[in-house]
Amino acid sequence: MRTRIKFCGMVRPVDVDTAVTIGADALGFVFYPKSPRYLGRDEALRLRRRLPSYVAAVGLFVDAPAVEVQAAVEALGLDVVQFHGDESPGQCAAGAGGVPFWRAVRMRDRGDLLESARLFGAAEALLLDSYSAAYGGTGKRFDWSWIDAQQRGGARLILSGGLDAESVGEAILSVAPVGVDVSSGIQGTDPRTKESAKMERFVAAVIEADARRAIAGSETKR
């Protein structure tokens, strides 16, 4: 199964169009007011309308009231809700309603993934990012050795944190996540822009790593 690609922190229509054209599977819109990539509802709706049905719209929230999350899901037709704060399992379920949700795990040590896997069984995926006292993505890599052999290749793991075209291949070959999530690794001159060349190189690196993984798998079966 190929690795799914999510570009997060989309703000500009041109970046959304580029992401769709080069093969991103999901695009993330940030609804956390303290983020430099924050979008208002009207801005997000204009971007959401540019997405074809085969590209998922993911809304990122941080400790937002359930009614606020539900309102955004309904108004924008979000496909996935990504919780990046200190939400409990019950708060995640209430906010997402019937929409699948991803739980961000801010990794400080290997125990964080184990605990989150236990608590958030209803999450469609666990999105692993580096720990920060602030919320949202960090742009920094955590220690992938904290993901043990039994967890690697799991259908619920999305890897984030410090990924770019130079590191994502190693991440896929080491962890075999179901998806990878990038924001600052494809950033342009400021946090609200993306660079098309970086997006293209990132997608190419994922495709190359998947091909290498498939070849390694076929050789193992011989």
Side-chain angles (χ1 to χ4, degrees):
M1 184 174 67
R2 73 179 183 85
T3 306
R4 303 293 171 173
I5 300 170
K6 173 177 172 269
F7 289 160
C8 197
M10 308 304 288
V11 174
R12 301 190 303 171
V14 63
D15 295 333
V16 168
D17 294 345
T18 298
V20 169
T21 299
I22 65 177
D25 299 288
L27 300 185
F29 305 117
V30 178
F31 298 104
Y32 179 45
K34 294 183 179 180
S35 169
R37 303 177 183 93
Y38 169 73
L39 284 177
R41 185 81 59 82
D42 291 341
E43 292 178 286
L45 182 58
R46 285 192 288 270
L47 297 180
R48 174 68 178 98
R49 287 172 172 164
R50 305 181 81 89
L51 300 190
S53 61
Y54 51 82
V55 177
V58 182
L60 187 155
F61 297 87
V62 176
D63 295 328
V67 292
E68 180 181 320
V69 179
Q70 291 170 359
V73 169
E74 182 176 349
L76 303 173
L78 296 178
D79 298 298
V80 180
V81 178
Q82 181 176 319
F83 292 102
H84 240 284
D86 295 317
E87 300 91 351
S88 68
Q91 289 171 323
C92 289
V99 173
F101 73 87
W102 299 348
R103 184 68 175 101
V105 182
R106 294 146 64 202
M107 297 287 289
R108 287 171 292 191
D109 57 50
R110 66 181 67 250
D112 289 321
L113 175 54
L114 295 171
E115 181 70 1
S116 294
R118 182 182 68 82
L119 290 175
F120 294 92
E124 181 179 66
L126 300 175
L127 189 146
L128 311 185
D129 199 354
S130 300
Y131 177 80
S132 170
Y135 298 102
T138 65
K140 297 180 181 179
R141 171 175 166 173
F142 66 90
D143 188 344
W144 296 337
S145 71
W146 293 342
I147 308 171
D148 65 33
Q150 291 182 331
Q151 295 165 323
R152 297 183 182 205
R156 295 179 68 211
L157 294 189
I158 297 175
L159 191 62
S160 185
L163 297 181
D164 55 24
E166 285 67 46
S167 63
V168 71
E170 180 189 356
I172 290 170
L173 295 172
S174 299
V175 180
V178 70
V180 288
D181 180 34
V182 61
S183 183
S184 60
I186 55 171
Q187 185 173 298
T189 55
D190 70 69
R192 294 182 70 81
T193 67
K194 304 300 184 189
E195 190 172 305
S196 59
K198 290 182 179 180
M199 289 194 277
E200 291 169 3
R201 289 198 298 270
F202 190 91
V203 171
V206 172
I207 293 172
E208 180 184 358
D210 280 348
R212 291 174 60 189
R213 190 163 57 131
I215 292 170
S218 63
E219 290 178 346
T220 301
K221 295 177 181 178
R222 290 177 185 175

